[in-house]
Every structure is written in structure tokens, then in C-alpha cells.
Amino acid sequence: MKEDYPKLFEPINIGKVQLMNRAVFPPISTNFALENGRLTEKFVKHYERRARGGVGLIIVENTSIDFPEGKHMPFQPRIDSKAVLRDWEWLTFEVHKYEGVKLSIELAHEGWKKIGVDYLSPEKVEELVEKFAYSARLAMEAGFDMVEIQGAHGLLVNQFLSPLTNHRDDEWGEPTRFAVEVRKRIAEECGRDFPVTIRLAVDDFLDGGINLSMGREIALELAKAGYDMIQADVGLGPKEKRLEPMHYPQAWRAYLAEKIRPLPVPVAAVGMIREPKVAERVLETQADLVVLGRTLIADPDWVKKIAEGKEHLIRRCIGCSECIKAVHDEKGPIRCGANANVGNEEDIPKAPRKRVIAIIGAGPGGLEASRVAALRGHEVHLFYEVFGGQLVLAKVPPGKEKIGWLIEYYRNVLAEMPNVHLHEGKVSKEDVMKFNPEAVVIASGAKPFLPCSGERGLITPFDRILRGEVKVEGKEVLIGGGGLVGVETALYLAQFNNRVKIIKRSPAVLPNVERITRGYLLRELEEKGIPILTGRSFVSAGEGYAIVENTETGEKEMIKCDVIVGAFGMRPYVPFVIDGIEYHIIGDAKSVRNIASAVKEGYEVGRKL
């Protein structure tokens, strides 16, 4: 309830514009716009859906003020001419249907990160200042309540601010001069009462760049120059510091806001704020507003659910980085591992008639299929041995605890659906048919694959390790398989004073893992002294050793070890087939992939039933 989180629901002013609460949806790139920078229905619906959830301020993703020269992303929107004004009027109209929600837009120019701003002529610099001011005027005319300047993440304004990219000896060599002139010109174009905020690099996380001491000085100077709110963020440094993998703790970046306070204007904290109790704590001690990016991607009703006393029904972002993989690695439209409705933003309609649906397996696919089918009005019977399926194992390795949030979400949501009936224990075809289902969904997941010699007990499947059925401490361990499961099992075992090696057939390590998470995991392996021996194929196992073959030379070698753990992969598992009725196979039971694929297929099949 609101009274449980008084700081979160306390109004606050950005300049002369009042926000109804202190939750901010930040400018997260979606790739929902067209390549020419024009908006699409999907783009507009995305922001309209976040507005419906009751957030105080929405800041539209970084938008080009200079198209195409300053374009930053392949499907980045633009606000550089009157030709696109109607697009933005469409967006502001849809968002402002929701009383109290305020709307901003981030004005951005990519700049020249690799070479900095030294080579720009003074005339070019002044032209860029004018472009920011012109775009701000367009935003005001389109109905935005304010604008934000992108002054972080290594883009143009950050390049002027940082000593790593600005070595000019003229007036523009003064770090804050460009940002100050942008604010001044916007005031001249839009009036001083039109608020301008800045997403500010207060730490570059690079030697010789902006540090926190400098960041505070910059923030104070920009606040005095008229910026109405400062979002304390990361500068030129690695993407891992702003697109954090799951393993980072909640609100770890909030200290950036804390360290630049107090200022004469509000300060916003960013960085993996997932739970209302964490947001409230940040607001009590570190910042004036909380920025909830992936949090509101996973659950656009986060604020509304808290206000209505339904905090237990929040679908918390688990940090799976599926959104990052989609936008930054694949250059495609954003998606969410926990929320398959991202990009659709549709309400789930009732089915033409109620049916009895049997769902086998309570992993992410089966749980989502159950939720959606129940929302459609069906009578759902969910059969399972383990509630959560493979999620129960996935949350065990170090830093993966957030995956447990998804299990909690489904347990809480399904408990409030009277038309969902849970059946725990081993299930047979006869158990299912007792309820005369009209459709069956098989979401029974997958089982570990082991070489034949594993049957003699010389190879321990990884799942027995992660379940705690087999304890391994102070041993020489060889893990067969260097995919995500093998790597995370290795990191888990390293906690117990084991000396671990990994063998992998192919030379590519974690090729299907989002690259920021991949980099994090490889660094963890290096720090813990866990080698990955690539180009090694498992041949056989014996007592105290394994025989592997070099895939290039064909030479065999013996590796001494006390324990061999099998993480060679998984194979789909379908316990039985029921003929004569509607039948669907989803998730790993269909093809072994990841959480996002299972949730998506669960959503889709539930929507069709």
C-alpha cells in the first residue's frame, strides 16, 4: 500500500512540474522505431503501457537531434525536424491519457567516442548546441512536459565533460561549457519554466576520466546553470557498469547519486532497483527519485501493484539480460525473459468458451501457460514434480538468486487463480485423463545428457550437484561441457575449495550468452583459477581420471581428477503422448533453449487455448 512506502509516493517537483510519485521510467532503447527514425504503433503502445502502470515520469529513449549523423542505434527515433512532429504528438496524447503521468524525452547525439571532440570547429560546436535547443522546442510543441539531455554513456555531452575525450584549448575545453550552453539556449527557445534534466556521467569508470569528486563538481555547476534534475549515471566506461548482469546486487549504483548530494535540485538514482523496499531505502538515504528501467519492462504495473497492496504479485526483473541481448547484441526489438508481452502490450482476452486444460510441467513454460490459460477463463490442471522446474537449479550458482523471484511470482499469481488446480508428484497419462482435458500442454523440460560411461556411476550429472544430492569439497573436479551450465556449475563448486577444470569440444566459449554477462563470467573463471580447455572431446572415464581427445590432432590425454561432473547438455523430455486431443509441446521439451524462450512459448500457447 502507499502508506507502506511514503517516500516512493511522495510528490516532487522537477522545476515547476510536479510528479505524483518518485518512480521514473528511464530512456531504454527499444528498436521499435523505423530505420528512418519515425514512430510505430508498437513504439507508442510500449510507452502508453508504462503510463497505465502509474509511474510518475516517463523519459522516452534516446532520440536523435541530428539525423542521421548523430544517430546512435539502428532504429533510433528522431526529433530533428517538424516533419516528425505529428509522431510525437501521437505519443504525448496517448501517454497523457493517464492522469498525473509526466512525459520527457532524452535528446541525444552519438558524438565521436573513439576520437573525442577535439577536432570539431567552434562553428560546428555552436551548431550542435542549436540542434539541442531546436529539438527541445519541437518536444515542447509536441506536448512533452520536459526534456532530458543525454550527458552520460560516452555520447556527445559526456565527451565534452570527460578529460579523456576533451583536450581542447579554446572555450569549449572547459568541461561543462557545452552542457551549460545547451541549457541556456533551451531556456531561450522554450522559456525558463520548461524543465530540462540531464542524465549525467558522474564517474567514467576509466583511469584519467571523470571520477566521483569531479562528478560532484560538474553536477553542482550544472544544477546552478539551470538543470532541474540530475540522474547520476556512468560515463565512458564499460557497458557492464550500466547494463549489469544478474550477478550485481540491487541498487549498487545508487551511491553515485548519494555522493553528489546535496544539490539545489533533485537527484535520481539508477541501477538494478527491483523491489519496493529497496526503492524506499534508496529514497530515504541516497536519492530523491528512483529510476526503474528493466524493472518496468518486466512489470509495467510495478507502481500500481504497490499502491493497491499487491506487492506480492509484482513480476520482478531477474536480470537475465534478454533485453540487452535483443537490443545490443542482435540489434533487434527489445524483449524480456520474464514478460513475453513486451512489444505486444495486449490485454489477454477471454476465450469464447471455458475448456479443461492439462499442463504437464511447472517450469517457466508450463507456469506461464497456466497463468495465461487461466486468464482466458479455462479450468487449468497443472501437473508437476518440482514447482519451478529447471529454475530451481538455475538459481543455485553464485549470483543467480534472482531467478528465484520468478518462481515466487508464479506461485503467488497462480495461488490467487481459483481456476488453477495444482497436482504435485509423478504424473501418468491416466492421471491426466481423469480430468477429461480438451487440450494438453507438455512443458516437461529436459534432462541431462551423459555419455554411456556415465551409467556406471563415474560421471555425476550437474543437476545432482546443484540439488545438493552430491556434496563435493576440496576435490580435483573435471567438468565436461563448457556451456552456461558447465561454467555456472564450476563457479558453484569453486565455493567449496574445489580445484576445477572445464573441458569443451568447440573453441567458442559461451557463444550464445549475452556478451556483457559472458565477459563477467569469463572474468569470474579467471579470478577463481578455473581453466577452460577447449578443443577437448570427452572419451571415457575411469576411477580418478578422464580420457579426452584433442579435436584437432586426435591425440588422447589423461586428466587426473577425483570427480567428473557431466554438463554435456540437455535433451528434451516428453513423458508420454496423448492421442486424439489438442496437443502442444513447448519450452525445453520441444527444444532446449533458455528461460525467455520457455516463457514466450508458454504465453503464446496460453493465448491460443
Side-chain angles (χ1 to χ4, degrees), residues 12-59:
I12 188 172
N13 274 39
I14 305 297
K16 293 188 176 181
V17 174
Q18 186 176 79
L19 307 185
M20 62 181 175
N21 58 54
R22 306 210 171 189
V24 179
F25 181 59
I28 291 182
S29 296
T30 62
N31 282 344
F32 286 159
L34 300 175
E35 284 188 279
N36 64 4
R38 301 299 297 268
L39 305 190
T40 62
E41 184 176 10
K42 183 174 288 192
F43 186 102
V44 173
K45 281 187 174 181
H46 175 76
Y47 288 102
E48 181 270 337
R49 183 64 187 86
R50 269 78 213 157
R52 196 194 318 171
V55 64
L57 174 64
I58 292 174
I59 309 175

Side-chain angles (χ1 to χ4, degrees), residues 6 44 119 174 182 201 219 236 286 306 342 367 397 401 427 433 436 489 501 521 598-599:
V44 173
Y119 80 100
E174 167 59 37
V182 166
L236 288 157
Q286 296 178 290
I306 298 167
V342 170
L367 292 171
E401 299 85 1
V427 59
M433 295 308 295
N436 297 314
T489 303
K501 292 186 180 71
L521 291 172
V599 171

Side-chain angles (χ1 to χ4, degrees), residues 451-592:
C452 294
S453 57
E455 296 175 4
R456 301 202 309 268
L458 295 172
I459 301 176
T460 302
F462 79 89
D463 59 335
R464 297 196 66 203
I465 298 288
L466 297 182
R467 284 196 185 95
E469 296 173 1
V470 177
K471 304 286 187 182
V472 181
E473 296 186 28
K475 302 290 186 180
E476 296 283 346
V477 180
L478 179 68
I479 294 181
L484 183 60
V485 169
V487 167
E488 291 185 336
T489 303
L491 292 171
Y492 170 78
L493 286 169
Q495 298 177 115
F496 305 106
N497 197 33
N498 292 299
R499 297 167 298 282
V500 185
K501 292 186 180 71
I502 300 172
I503 59 168
K504 189 177 191 304
R505 177 190 294 271
S506 69
V509 178
L510 301 173
N512 298 319
V513 176
E514 174 269 321
R515 58 181 171 173
I516 295 173
T517 300
R518 178 179 181 272
Y520 175 89
L521 291 172
L522 292 177
R523 191 172 68 248
E524 285 288 293
L525 291 175
E526 184 177 1
E527 290 176 359
K528 290 173 174 54
I530 302 173
I532 299 183
L533 309 177
T534 58
R536 305 311 205 278
S537 177
F538 182 84
V539 176
S540 62
E543 292 288 347
Y545 69 89
I547 302 297
V548 302
E549 181 179 89
N550 187 304
T551 56
E552 289 189 5
T553 66
E555 294 180 3
K556 292 182 173 60
E557 62 178 303
M558 182 179 73
I559 298 177
K560 292 183 179 180
C561 52
D562 302 309
V563 178
I564 303 171
V565 176
F568 298 98
M570 307 278 281
R571 287 184 174 172
Y573 171 66
V574 176
F576 48 76
V577 175
I578 300 177
D579 297 319
I581 61 174
E582 184 181 339
Y583 194 83
H584 305 271
I585 302 178
I586 65 170
D588 283 358
K590 177 181 178 182
S591 175
V592 178

Side-chain angles (χ1 to χ4, degrees), residues 3 107 133 137 189 215 251 415 524:
E3 52 265 32
L107 308 180
R137 179 59 183 259
E189 284 291 323
E524 285 288 293

Side-chain angles (χ1 to χ4, degrees), residues 304-487:
K304 182 180 178 182
K305 287 177 179 177
I306 298 167
E308 295 176 350
K310 298 177 180 178
E311 179 184 340
H312 63 295
L313 300 181
I314 289 174
R315 185 198 289 115
R316 286 169 284 180
C317 166
I318 61 174
C320 68
S321 295
E322 193 68 20
C323 55
I324 297 166
K325 183 178 182 181
V327 173
H328 294 271
D329 289 4
E330 300 171 4
K331 309 300 181 186
I334 196 170
R335 60 178 180 265
C336 176
N339 179 8
N341 206 12
V342 170
N344 301 314
E345 312 304 346
E346 62 182 359
D347 294 323
I348 297 169
K350 291 291 185 181
R353 66 178 184 87
K354 179 179 178 179
R355 298 198 292 165
V356 177
I357 309 295
I359 297 176
I360 318 302
L367 292 171
E368 179 69 358
S370 298
R371 182 187 75 89
V372 177
L375 287 173
R376 298 268 285 152
H378 298 306
E379 178 184 322
V380 176
H381 292 270
L382 176 61
F383 299 86
Y384 62 93
E385 290 186 50
V386 178
F387 193 95
Q390 295 292 333
L391 296 176
V392 174
L393 298 182
K395 70 184 181 69
V396 172
K400 301 296 291 294
E401 299 85 1
K402 295 183 184 73
I403 287 179
W405 292 349
L406 196 56
I407 303 174
E408 289 178 32
Y409 164 73
Y410 283 114
R411 190 180 296 279
N412 292 341
V413 167
L414 297 183
E416 297 201 359
M417 292 179 157
N419 52 332
V420 175
H421 308 278
L422 305 182
H423 307 278
E424 184 176 3
K426 286 188 176 296
V427 59
S428 67
K429 184 187 302 187
E430 291 70 30
D431 295 327
V432 174
M433 295 308 295
K434 288 177 185 175
F435 295 93
N436 297 314
E438 296 177 64
V440 175
V441 177
I442 298 293
S444 45
K447 291 187 177 295
F449 160 73
L450 291 180
C452 294
S453 57
E455 296 175 4
R456 301 202 309 268
L458 295 172
I459 301 176
T460 302
F462 79 89
D463 59 335
R464 297 196 66 203
I465 298 288
L466 297 182
R467 284 196 185 95
E469 296 173 1
V470 177
K471 304 286 187 182
V472 181
E473 296 186 28
K475 302 290 186 180
E476 296 283 346
V477 180
L478 179 68
I479 294 181
L484 183 60
V485 169
V487 167

